[in-house]
Amino acid sequence: MSWNRPLIVGLLILLAALGWWRLQPGGGEIRQTRLLMGTTVEIVANGENRAQLKTAVADAFAEMERLDRLLSSHRDDSDIARLSQSATGATVSPESAEVIALGLEIARRSEGAFDLTLGRLTTLWDLDAPSPEVPDSQAIDAALAGVGPEALSLDGLQVKKRSPHLHIDLGGIAKGYVVDRAIAVLREGGVVSAAINAGGDMYLLGQRPQRPWRIGIQHPRQPDGVLEAVQIVDRAVVTSGDYERFFEQDGIRYHHLLDPGTGLPARACQSVSIITDSVALADALATAVFVLGPQKGLALLAEYPGAAGLIIAADGSRHATPNWSAYRSPL
């Protein structure tokens, strides 16, 4: 067995020639990094008024920290922890309800390929353990008992669970929502040019001084390779891939993108990149499409006209929405 965890947390490589985190800081650039939501979060903001930028960036981080306290499944006092611990459900904050509502919508449209109720399954796989192992089939079946889009319902701020053993996992959507809210705070603070990267969940606000943001998408089978580059203005970009968190056992790769139908890692794709106007939406769609595979995944993306997607299938073939080409940039 071998354990492979790339040094760059996230699913997008921002190479020096393409990226933004190695830009030489200028007189009007603020750059700050913090550990949040189990990953490295970096904000880069550009503008003439450095004091205004510093205040806006501090406010954005404060908002992310506040939301992390609500949405984290690793805090005993969070909305999500209380919901998982309850036998029947719980009343949650408006922010948690908004995330759950979007998650349930994607779950319905993807016919369960995206699923908020897989908390027991993700805990069972425990891919962050020092030496992860493939769970036995009986344990997987037990973790899947009672899960699915119908297992959770939302009425206003009241979340109801069909099973007392149901554990909620917002790992495929919450981080994106937190970035969306941080971008809103930057806008309210007068920032017109900024980038937030939360472990590969990214939003690019406005443009870098005098040119668009250019992002290199990691090649799923070449750790230091770039699949292609995209230019982004006022959009989110998220990639889900089988190379970010995985281990190998008996020559088989086991990764964190689990198929709710089998309880095993999804096998139809190597990576899925989504560009849209919301990081939360891009986050959830990337996961759903990865599970669905190219044909059904493209059909799902067609339901979201503003979304563009690039799918690398299990055999390495490329499949893209018609509007993906509008974002391509020369390497």
Side-chain angles (χ1 to χ4, degrees):
M1 177 188 298
S2 65
W3 169 241
N4 187 319
R5 185 173 185 139
L7 294 176
I8 297 178
V9 179
L11 300 169
L12 300 177
I13 289 182
L14 309 181
L15 296 183
L18 302 172
W20 48 278
W21 87 97
R22 292 182 183 174
L23 290 172
Q24 294 301 315
E29 180 181 288
I30 298 295
R31 182 190 313 274
Q32 291 189 17
T33 302
R34 298 187 190 179
L35 291 176
L36 283 170
M37 303 175 289
T39 191
T40 301
V41 180
E42 183 171 34
I43 299 179
V44 177
N46 298 290
E48 297 298 325
N49 189 327
R50 289 182 64 84
Q52 180 188 38
L53 291 179
K54 287 182 178 180
T55 298
V57 169
D59 290 346
F61 273 121
E63 175 69 352
M64 286 191 280
E65 290 169 354
R66 183 184 74 85
L67 292 171
D68 187 32
R69 290 193 292 271
L70 288 175
L71 302 172
S72 172
S73 59
H74 303 293
R75 299 176 60 98
D76 292 339
D77 58 345
S78 73
D79 279 357
I80 304 311
R82 290 190 300 102
L83 181 57
S84 293
Q85 293 160 6
S86 168
T88 59
T91 301
V92 299
S93 65
E95 295 88 347
S96 297
E98 189 175 0
V99 177
I100 291 170
L102 177 59
L104 290 176
E105 175 200 325
I106 304 298
R108 176 180 57 80
R109 291 197 179 195
S110 68
E111 298 182 346
F114 181 80
D115 194 339
L116 300 174
T117 66
L118 298 182
R120 293 176 65 199
L121 184 67
T122 55
T123 299
L124 178 66
W125 277 91
D126 194 13
L127 286 175
D128 291 326
S131 299
E133 296 181 350
V134 179
D136 65 59
S137 59
Q138 290 184 334
I140 290 174
D141 290 342
L144 288 175
V147 307
E150 299 82 16
L152 203 65
S153 63
L154 178 68
D155 183 7
L157 301 182
Q158 182 64 42
V159 184
K160 296 182 180 179
K161 295 165 54 177
R162 187 174 64 183
S163 166
H165 305 295
L166 204 65
H167 285 197
I168 311 307
D169 181 6
L170 301 185
I173 191 171
K175 189 168 59 173
Y177 177 81
V178 172
V179 174
D180 282 333
R181 292 294 296 263
I183 286 291
V185 170
L186 291 179
R187 290 183 190 271
E188 291 167 4
V191 178
V192 296
S193 172
I196 299 181
N197 179 8
D201 284 17
M202 301 180 62
Y203 193 96
L204 295 311
L205 174 63
Q207 295 194 126
R208 284 170 54 193
Q210 302 179 342
R211 59 190 188 273
W213 302 96
R214 297 181 68 226
I215 306 302
I217 297 175
Q218 181 172 331
H219 194 293
R221 292 297 178 265
Q222 298 174 15
D224 297 323
V226 176
L227 186 66
E228 60 180 64
V230 292
Q231 289 192 152
I232 307 290
V233 177
D234 291 330
R235 303 288 275 175
V237 57
V238 173
T239 296
S240 288
D242 65 3
Y243 52 84
E244 186 199 21
R245 296 168 58 208
F246 74 92
F247 66 94
E248 292 184 355
Q249 184 172 313
D250 299 326
I252 300 174
R253 177 180 300 216
Y254 295 93
H255 56 81
H256 72 295
L257 295 161
L258 303 174
D259 184 340
T262 65
L264 300 171
R267 296 300 182 193
C269 299
Q270 295 180 10
S271 73
V272 174
S273 299
I274 302 293
I275 298 173
T276 188
D277 59 359
S278 159
V279 191
L281 178 60
D283 207 357
L285 285 177
T287 300
V289 171
F290 192 99
V291 173
L292 289 170
Q295 184 176 357
K296 291 183 178 180
L298 289 175
L300 175 63
L301 292 178
E303 298 184 27
Y304 295 87
L310 173 66
I311 302 169
I312 308 302
D315 62 4
S317 60
R318 299 190 185 199
H319 309 262
T321 57
N323 58 348
W324 179 263
S325 60
Y327 296 99
R328 283 198 178 103
S329 176
L331 288 173

